[in-house]
């Protein structure tokens, strides 16, 4: 099992002004934590949510222990108020394992989420930092690894490892969020999806790889998977690597996106696609798309390359229409 280190968290901890957990009282299921605490044993909780951490003074070091939801439709750990923190442990069998709510600026680091039922990390507030989340291959069909709900903005989702979240690895509905340096294996429908309720997001340096597990899942459900799916406007998608998905990168009826310097090689059908007659002013620049099953570059609704979308300087060999560059 790949396990991110605590180096990044320990480096940033002074910035957030959070002391290491003091464990001034024994944490129990159903508690609302308002000081810096540390678990001393595993918790199996019937309460809903299992725990609440309230900032700015509340923080919890799971200390390597596990918080389990006995009822799988119960919620895991809520971070409320301003600048609450959670790190270093395991959350098991919860619906939404972690929820970042209210004023935001919460910090979540180095959490393994097992037996995911709904959403691993649900972000409902602004300016949160989520890193080192590990979701191994055990999610349900409709699970989402990390989700920002509309209008959550200015969140940073970086350095997470998500394997086979059933619906989407990372699902973005808000604006001006940064998704960088994540590794997503075997996404069900989407590796990273940018919903139409959002825009102006930065998607940078992520790796999305599918293999036989995802392929069998998608075949049984009659669907293909898309590495990065863009349905909102004015996003920057750059320096990502997508392979063995059905489609590498897809822009769907959205405008003014820049897709630059990505690698979309060895996908089952298409490398990079623009779909929809209303998609305008998108820039597809200096990408590599080779050895894809049907076409490397594909724009089915612009057969004569007369739209306002720009395809410039891409490295590809099989394009439709042929005028795509």
């Amino acid at each position: 099992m790949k396990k991110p280190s605590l180096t990044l968290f320990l480096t940033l901890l002074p910035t957030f002004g959070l002391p290491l957990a003091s464990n001034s009282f024994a944490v129990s299921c159903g508690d609302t934590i308002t000081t810096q605490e540390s678990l001393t044993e595993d918790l199996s909780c019937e309460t809903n949510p299992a725990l609440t951490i309230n900032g700015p003074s509340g923080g919890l070091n799971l200390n390597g222990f596990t918080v389990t939801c006995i009822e799988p439709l119960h919620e895991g750990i809520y971070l409320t108020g301003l600048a609450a923190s959670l790190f270093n442990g395991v959350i098991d069998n919860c619906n939404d394992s972690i929820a970042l709510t209210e004023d935001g600026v919460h910090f979540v680091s180095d959490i393994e989420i097992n037996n995911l039922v709904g959403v691993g990390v649900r972000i409902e507030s602004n300016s949160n930092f989520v890193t080192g989340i590990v979701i191994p291959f055990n999610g349900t069909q409709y699970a989402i690894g990390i989700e920002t709900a509309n209008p959550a903005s200015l969140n940073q989702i970086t350095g997470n490892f998500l394997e086979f979240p059933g619906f989407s690895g990372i699902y973005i509905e808000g604006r001006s969020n940064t998704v960088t340096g994540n590794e997503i294996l075997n996404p069900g429908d989407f590796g990273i999806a940018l919903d139409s309720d959002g825009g102006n997001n930065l998607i940078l340096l992520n790796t999305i790889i599918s293999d036989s597990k995802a392929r069998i899942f998608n075949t049984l459900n009659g669907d293909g998977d898309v590495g990065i799916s863009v349905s909102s406007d004015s996003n920057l998608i750059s320096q990502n690597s997508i392979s063995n998905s059905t489609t590498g990168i897809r822009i769907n009826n959205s405008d003014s996106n820049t897709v630059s310097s990505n690698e979309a090689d060895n996908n089952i059908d298409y490398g990079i696609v623009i779909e929809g007659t209303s998609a305008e002013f998108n820039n597809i620049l200096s990408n590599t798309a080779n050895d894809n099953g049907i076409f490397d570059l594909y724009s089915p609704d612009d057969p004569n390359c007369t739209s306002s979308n720009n395809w410039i300087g891409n490295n590809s060999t099989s394009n439709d229409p042929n005028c795509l560059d």
Side-chain angles (χ1 to χ4, degrees):
M1 172 62 62
K2 177 176 177 180
K3 183 69 175 175
S5 72
L6 283 170
T7 303
L8 180 61
F9 172 75
L10 293 174
T11 301
L12 293 175
L13 195 58
T15 304
F16 281 77
L18 302 173
L20 291 176
S22 62
N23 193 35
S24 59
F25 71 90
V27 175
S28 300
C29 294
D31 282 347
T32 295
I33 297 167
T34 58
T35 55
Q36 296 294 313
E37 302 300 333
S38 180
L39 281 191
T40 58
E41 61 182 1
D42 294 334
L43 295 179
S44 294
C45 298
E46 295 182 321
T47 58
N48 188 20
L51 296 167
T52 300
I53 306 169
N54 184 251
S57 55
L60 180 61
N61 179 0
L62 294 175
N63 203 25
F65 292 107
T66 299
V67 174
T68 300
C69 294
I70 294 176
E71 295 292 336
L73 295 181
H74 282 184
E75 310 298 320
I77 300 177
Y78 272 43
L79 278 66
T80 61
L82 175 71
S85 65
L86 173 69
F87 60 100
N88 188 26
V90 179
I91 301 175
D92 183 47
N93 199 46
C94 299
N95 184 23
D96 292 351
S97 299
I98 302 169
L100 311 182
T101 67
E102 296 187 357
D103 297 324
V105 201
H106 303 305
F107 190 96
V108 177
S109 176
D110 294 280
I111 302 292
E112 182 172 312
I113 297 173
N114 292 326
N115 299 305
L116 175 62
V117 178
V119 178
V121 181
R122 183 187 296 277
I123 302 172
E124 300 177 350
S125 54
N126 300 332
S127 303
N128 301 286
F129 191 82
V130 177
T131 186
I133 301 297
V134 173
I135 303 179
F137 177 68
N138 56 19
T140 62
Q141 178 178 344
Y142 301 107
I144 297 174
I146 300 171
E147 177 182 21
T148 66
N150 186 39
S153 300
L154 300 171
N155 295 287
Q156 298 204 30
I157 301 168
T158 182
N160 302 288
F161 177 81
L162 315 173
E163 184 177 8
F164 196 54
F167 176 66
S168 182
I170 298 174
Y171 196 88
I172 302 295
E173 291 184 329
R175 301 183 63 84
S176 303
N177 298 286
T178 298
V179 179
T180 181
N182 301 283
E183 186 174 355
I184 302 171
L185 303 183
N186 310 314
D189 287 55
F190 308 108
I192 299 171
L194 306 182
D195 189 85
S196 57
D197 290 332
N200 198 37
N201 297 289
L202 173 62
I203 312 300
L204 178 68
L205 292 168
N206 301 284
T207 299
I208 302 169
I209 303 172
S210 295
D211 66 14
S212 58
K213 282 184 286 190
R215 187 93 309 107
I216 292 170
F217 175 88
N218 291 319
T219 299
L220 291 174
N221 287 277
D223 299 318
D225 58 306
V226 180
I228 299 176
S229 178
V230 182
S231 298
S232 59
D233 301 337
S234 304
N235 302 286
L236 174 60
I237 297 94
S238 183
Q239 300 176 68
N240 303 282
S241 177
I242 306 101
S243 60
N244 206 32
S245 295
T246 301
T247 297
I249 300 172
R250 181 184 69 189
I251 295 177
N252 182 28
N253 279 313
S254 55
D255 303 333
S256 304
N257 295 288
T258 297
V259 177
S260 67
S261 303
N262 300 281
E263 295 181 0
D265 300 329
N266 298 299
N267 294 289
I268 304 304
D269 290 345
Y270 307 109
I272 302 174
V273 178
I274 296 181
E275 294 180 338
T277 57
S278 63
E280 298 181 315
F281 307 111
N282 296 289
N283 297 303
I284 314 300
L285 311 173
S286 302
N287 301 281
T288 298
N290 286 297
D291 300 317
N292 296 285
I294 300 177
F295 295 115
D296 295 327
L297 307 179
Y298 185 42
S299 185
D301 299 299
D302 186 22
N304 299 311
C305 298
T306 56
S307 73
S308 58
N309 299 306
N310 298 307
W311 302 73
I312 301 173
N314 298 288
N315 179 355
S316 61
T317 55
S318 174
N319 305 329
D320 183 25
N322 290 327
C323 49
L324 298 179
D325 179 13

